Amino acid sequence: MSLPRTAGAAVLALALASVAVPASASSTAVAEVHYVALGDSYASGTGAGSYSDVACTRSRNAYPALWADAHDPASFAFAACGGAKIPDVLSGQVGELGEDTTLVSLSIGGNDSGFAATMLSCQYSTQSACERALKTAGEYVVNELPGELDGLYASVRARAPHAEVVIVGYPHLYKEGGLCLGGLSSARRSAVNDGSDLLNETIADRARAAGFAFADGRPAFAGHEICTSDAWISSSNVHPTAEGHESAYLPAFDAAVSGS
């Protein structure tokens, strides 16, 4: 049965509109990313230079800023701050999260486990003092950190219920074996890396339990630790350099983000 000309035109217009307009609107909505970067100095970019906030050592070379530059999200809140511990994230950073947040990155736990004091002991004290400091840190990581991470991750999920959350781990700091002129002995380097393994395994376990992704920094920096010929971690401040953020952390984080 044929339709009147005006009715046929109306049907055709409706068909074209239903194909063209909603598809465009839908793709625009899907493309909107609201990204919030939380965490400590390994997220803020301490040691990477070009700081937008000196007090928190937030660097334009840090992986969150580089990811935002590359992907042009609809919004980007860079809340990570050098020296932050879990209570600092809870009191001063998670407020950036909201119902519209779609992506969160977070690295935390190193300072809570006494990273700075442990590194001072291992760099400037005896082997036994280094081992004692690592043992104390390890006991905290095993006995206390899991519960503290669970509480933080629950707060992140409650504040950003629709967000994809990527927990970013820490790299091995030192090359193992061989000589390290002006650096730590082989035994101390191995002990520090063992401590990093325990910390990362604990963080990854709690991230999985929370339903979050985990971006492992250890394979990302492999072959570029302190004492290698092309180190992406500074021996002076024991933090990733600008190259480390660009060549290791950024691709590791990018790979963990779905749809990147």
Side-chain angles (χ1 to χ4, degrees), residues 49-228:
S50 189
Y51 300 114
S52 58
D53 183 325
V54 176
C56 275
T57 57
R58 288 191 193 109
S59 172
R60 298 176 184 87
N61 298 322
Y63 74 84
L66 295 176
W67 194 93
D69 287 344
H71 294 270
D72 192 25
S75 67
F76 171 49
F78 196 1
C81 188
K85 297 181 179 181
I86 290 171
D88 301 312
V89 177
L90 286 167
S91 64
Q93 297 186 27
V94 297
E96 296 287 350
L97 303 173
E99 288 276 340
D100 63 342
T101 302
T102 61
L103 177 63
V104 178
S105 62
L106 170 60
S107 69
I108 202 70
N111 292 323
D112 301 84
S113 62
F115 170 76
T118 300
M119 288 310 305
L120 286 173
S121 293
C122 290
Q123 286 176 317
Y124 301 112
S125 193
T126 64
Q127 174 73 24
S128 60
C130 173
E131 291 174 354
R132 284 196 301 272
L134 286 166
K135 182 175 183 293
T136 299
E139 290 171 349
Y140 166 82
V141 169
V142 169
N143 298 319
E144 298 181 48
L145 183 60
E148 294 184 8
L149 289 174
D150 287 348
L152 172 60
Y153 294 167
S155 179
V156 169
R157 175 52 70 218
R159 289 174 174 268
H162 311 297
E164 176 180 6
V165 181
V166 178
I167 306 301
V168 182
Y170 298 93
H172 278 162
L173 297 177
Y174 293 96
K175 176 191 79 171
E176 295 200 30
L179 295 175
C180 185
L181 298 178
L184 301 184
S185 68
S186 180
R188 294 193 200 192
R189 281 180 273 138
S190 293
V192 169
N193 286 347
D194 287 345
S196 177
D197 285 336
L198 180 61
L199 178 60
N200 277 293
E201 288 159 9
T202 300
I203 292 171
D205 176 70
R206 301 328 301 158
R208 285 191 293 269
F212 298 161
F214 178 72
D216 197 338
R218 291 167 294 179
F221 281 86
H224 298 279
E225 304 90 346
I226 298 170
C227 300
T228 59

Side-chain angles (χ1 to χ4, degrees), residues 11-26:
V11 169
L12 177 61
L14 276 171
L16 290 173
S18 67
V19 170
V21 176
S24 173
S26 174

